[in-house]
C-alpha cells in the first residue's frame, strides 16, 4: 500500500499562472513540472499547501548564479509593487478555485484540518492555500482579512527580498541566515494578526533576526514549511540548530525541502543527488525537532529535485529510502502525513476556520 503524504510547499499555482490559467493542466498528466493530480495519486500525495508566489517583474535567470567554486551569488532583488503583487496573488488564487470547480469533486480547497481529513476520507485531493511572501498585503492589513475569507490559511511573511514587513534572506552559499534587519513594526503587527486569525506563519525565507522576532511575538507554533539543516548544507536559507531548538520549543515543525542546493554539502544544483542525503537531513531534523516536528516541504515546481524522485509520482522512492535508513512505519507515517495535520490543528483556530471572525490586534 502506498504511503499517504501531505506536503508543506509547492509552486504549482505559479506554473499554472505562467502556462495555463484555466487550471486544466493540473487535472491531466503532463510531462512538465513536478506535480499534477494523476502523478500525485500515483505517488501517494494526498494534498498539501499550495503557494501563491509573485515573481519579479523583470526577466531573470532562475535562481541565484553559481560561481565556479560552488558559492552562490545572490541576485539583486527589489521590493515588489503592491498593486501588482495583489493582482498576481488574486489571479493565482482564482486558478486554485478553477481547479477545484473543474475537478468534479476530485480536488477540495480545505480551510481546516477537519476539511483535510474529510477530503482524504472521501478520496479527494486536499488543497490548502498559502502565500509565499506577503507583498499582496498592504500596511493596514485589509487584504489579510479578505484573503482569510478566501481560504488562505498559511502565510510566509517574506520571500527572499525586502518587504514592508521584514527582510528575506538572500540565496548565499556558504552563509549564515544572519543577514539584514529584523521585522518592522508592520511585520510584528502582521504576525499578531495571523495569530488572531489562526493563519500559520511560515519562516522559511525569513532572515535570522526576523526569525527571532517571530519567536518573540508569536503565540503559535513556529513553522518553516520548506527548510533544511544548515549544519549539513550551509546555505543561508537553511535552519541553524538554534533555530531548530526554538521551533521544537514552540511545538512547531520544519518541512524537508527537496531542492538539491538546500540538500548538498557543496550547495550545488545537481539532479544526481542521492536520497541518502535527504535521510541525513531528516536524521538531523528529527534529532533536533523530535518525531512530531518534521515533515515534507518538497518545493515541487519551484526547484531542481533529485532525479531519483523526479516528480510527485516518485515519492515512494523517498519513502523506500526512509525504510532503508531504519525508519519504522509509525515514524514514516508521522513525517509523511500526520505531523502536518497535527501542527495545523495546533495553529488554525476553530472559530476562525468556521466563522472567519477574529479581532485584529492593530489600530
Amino acid at each position: 500500500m502506498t504511503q499517504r503524504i501531505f506536503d508543506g510547499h509547492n509552486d504549482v499555482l505559479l506554473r499554472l499562472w505562467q502556462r495555463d490559467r484555466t487550471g486544466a493542466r493540473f487535472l491531466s498528466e503532463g510531462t512538465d513540472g513536478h506535480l499534477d493530480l494523476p502523478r500525485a495519486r500515483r505517488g501517494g500525495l494526498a494534498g498539501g499547501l499550495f503557494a501563491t508566489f509573485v515573481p519579479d517583474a523583470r526577466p531573470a535567470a532562475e535562481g541565484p548564479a553559481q560561481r565556479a567554486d560552488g558559492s552562490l551569488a545572490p541576485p539583486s532583488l527589489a521590493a515588489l509593487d503592491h498593486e501588482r503583487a495583489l493582482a498576481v496573488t488574486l489571479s493565482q488564487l482564482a486558478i486554485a478555485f478553477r481547479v477545484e470547480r473543474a475537478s468534479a469533486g476530485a480536488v477540495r480547497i480545505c480551510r481546516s484540518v477537519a476539511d483535510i481529513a474529510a477530503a482524504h476520507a472521501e478520496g479527494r485531493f486536499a488543497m490548502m492555500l498559502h502565500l509565499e511572501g506577503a507583498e499582496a498585503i498592504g500596511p493596514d492589513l485589509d487584504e489579510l482579512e479578505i484573503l482569510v475569507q478566501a481560504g488562505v490559511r498559511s502565510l510566509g511573511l517574506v520571500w527572499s527580498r525586502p518587504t514592508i514587513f521584514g527582510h528575506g534572506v538572500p540565496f548565499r552559499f556558504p552563509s549564515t541566515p544572519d543577514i539584514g534587519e529584523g521585522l518592522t513594526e508592520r511585520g510584528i503587527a502582521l504576525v499578531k494578526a495571523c495569530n488572531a486569525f489562526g493563519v500559520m506563519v511560515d519562516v522559511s525565507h525569513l532572515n535570522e533576526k526576523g526569525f527571532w522576532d517571530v519567536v518573540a511575538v508569536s503565540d503559535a507554533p513556529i513553522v518553516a514549511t520548506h527548510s533544511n539543516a544548515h549544519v549539513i548544507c550551509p546555505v543561508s536559507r537553511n535552519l541553524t540548530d538554534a533555530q531548530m531548538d526554538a521551533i521544537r520549543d514552540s511545538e512547531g515543525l520544519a518541512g524537508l525541502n527537496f531542492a538539491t542546493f538546500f540538500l548538498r554539502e557543496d550547495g550545488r544544483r545537481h539532479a544526481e543527488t542521492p536520497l541518502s542525503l535527504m535521510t541525513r537531513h531528516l536524521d538531523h531534523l528529527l534529532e533536533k525537532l523530535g518525531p512530531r516536528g518534521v515533515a515534507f516541504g518538497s518545493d515541487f515546481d519551484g526547484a531542481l529535485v533529485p532525479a531519483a524522485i523526479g516528480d510527485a509520482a516518485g515519492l515512494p522512492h523517498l519513502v523506500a529510502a526512509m525504510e532503508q535508513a531504519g525508519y519504522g512505519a509509525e515514524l514514516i507515517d508521522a513525517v509523511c502525513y500526520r505531523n502536518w495535520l497535527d501542527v495545523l490543528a495546533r495553529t488554525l483556530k476553530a472559530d476562525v476556520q468556521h466563522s472567519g471572525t477574529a479581532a485584529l490586534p492593530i489600530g
Side-chain angles (χ1 to χ4, degrees), residues 156-158 163-168 180-192 201-203 206-218:
L157 301 174
V158 297
T163 74
I164 63 172
F165 303 114
H167 300 270
E181 300 302 315
L183 296 185
T184 65
E185 290 184 7
R186 290 167 173 163
I188 290 171
L190 179 56
V191 172
K192 292 179 178 179
V201 174
D202 176 20
V203 298
L206 194 60
N207 67 359
E208 189 168 5
K209 288 185 174 66
F211 174 94
W212 292 114
D213 285 340
V214 173
V215 171
V217 303
S218 179

Side-chain angles (χ1 to χ4, degrees), residues 86-236:
L86 178 59
V88 172
T89 297
L90 294 179
S91 180
Q92 292 181 16
L93 291 174
I95 292 169
F97 298 131
R98 291 180 198 129
V99 167
E100 181 185 46
R101 186 167 60 249
S103 75
V107 175
R108 179 177 181 180
I109 293 177
C110 297
R111 292 165 170 80
S112 68
V113 174
D115 285 350
I116 296 172
H120 293 171
E122 296 163 2
R124 306 175 194 270
F125 186 85
M127 181 184 292
M128 185 167 274
L129 300 176
H130 168 85
L131 263 62
E132 186 170 27
E135 288 98 340
I137 299 171
D140 56 10
L141 308 188
D142 284 349
E143 295 86 351
L144 177 63
E145 300 214 33
I146 297 167
L147 292 166
V148 170
Q149 291 292 338
V152 171
R153 291 295 181 268
S154 176
L155 180 149
L157 301 174
V158 297
W159 185 67
S160 293
R161 57 192 166 209
T163 74
I164 63 172
F165 303 114
H167 300 270
V169 63
F171 299 96
R172 292 182 184 171
F173 178 91
S175 174
T176 75
D178 187 12
I179 304 170
E181 300 302 315
L183 296 185
T184 65
E185 290 184 7
R186 290 167 173 163
I188 290 171
L190 179 56
V191 172
K192 292 179 178 179
C194 286
N195 287 172
F197 275 125
V199 171
M200 188 172 71
V201 174
D202 176 20
V203 298
S204 272
H205 280 272
L206 194 60
N207 67 359
E208 189 168 5
K209 288 185 174 66
F211 174 94
W212 292 114
D213 285 340
V214 173
V215 171
V217 303
S218 179
D219 62 10
I222 307 300
V223 174
T225 61
H226 55 307
S227 294
N228 295 340
H230 189 272
V231 70
I232 298 173
C233 174
V235 67
S236 54

Side-chain angles (χ1 to χ4, degrees), residues 10-140:
N10 70 64
D11 288 297
V12 171
L13 295 178
L14 171 64
R15 177 167 63 89
L16 294 173
W17 180 77
Q18 291 171 329
R19 302 181 187 182
D20 172 27
R21 298 190 185 183
T22 70
R25 205 180 194 105
F26 182 75
L27 300 175
S28 59
E29 183 158 352
T31 57
D32 63 327
H34 296 132
L35 177 57
D36 50 46
L37 187 58
R39 285 183 286 177
R41 284 177 166 158
R42 289 214 315 278
L45 183 61
L49 296 175
F50 278 63
T52 66
F53 174 73
V54 184
D56 196 277
R58 300 167 299 173
E62 182 179 348
Q66 194 147 36
R67 301 184 180 100
D69 64 0
S71 63
L72 293 182
S76 177
L77 297 167
L80 296 182
D81 173 74
H82 169 63
E83 289 188 5
R84 175 177 174 272
L86 178 59
V88 172
T89 297
L90 294 179
S91 180
Q92 292 181 16
L93 291 174
I95 292 169
F97 298 131
R98 291 180 198 129
V99 167
E100 181 185 46
R101 186 167 60 249
S103 75
V107 175
R108 179 177 181 180
I109 293 177
C110 297
R111 292 165 170 80
S112 68
V113 174
D115 285 350
I116 296 172
H120 293 171
E122 296 163 2
R124 306 175 194 270
F125 186 85
M127 181 184 292
M128 185 167 274
L129 300 176
H130 168 85
L131 263 62
E132 186 170 27
E135 288 98 340
I137 299 171
D140 56 10

Side-chain angles (χ1 to χ4, degrees), residues 275-276 279-280 282-283 286 318-333 335:
L275 299 189
S276 60
T279 58
R280 185 179 169 199
L282 284 172
D283 285 345
L286 287 163
L318 177 55
V319 175
M322 295 167 71
E323 292 171 343
Q324 291 166 10
Y327 292 24
E330 185 175 352
L331 180 58
I332 289 174
D333 188 57
V335 171

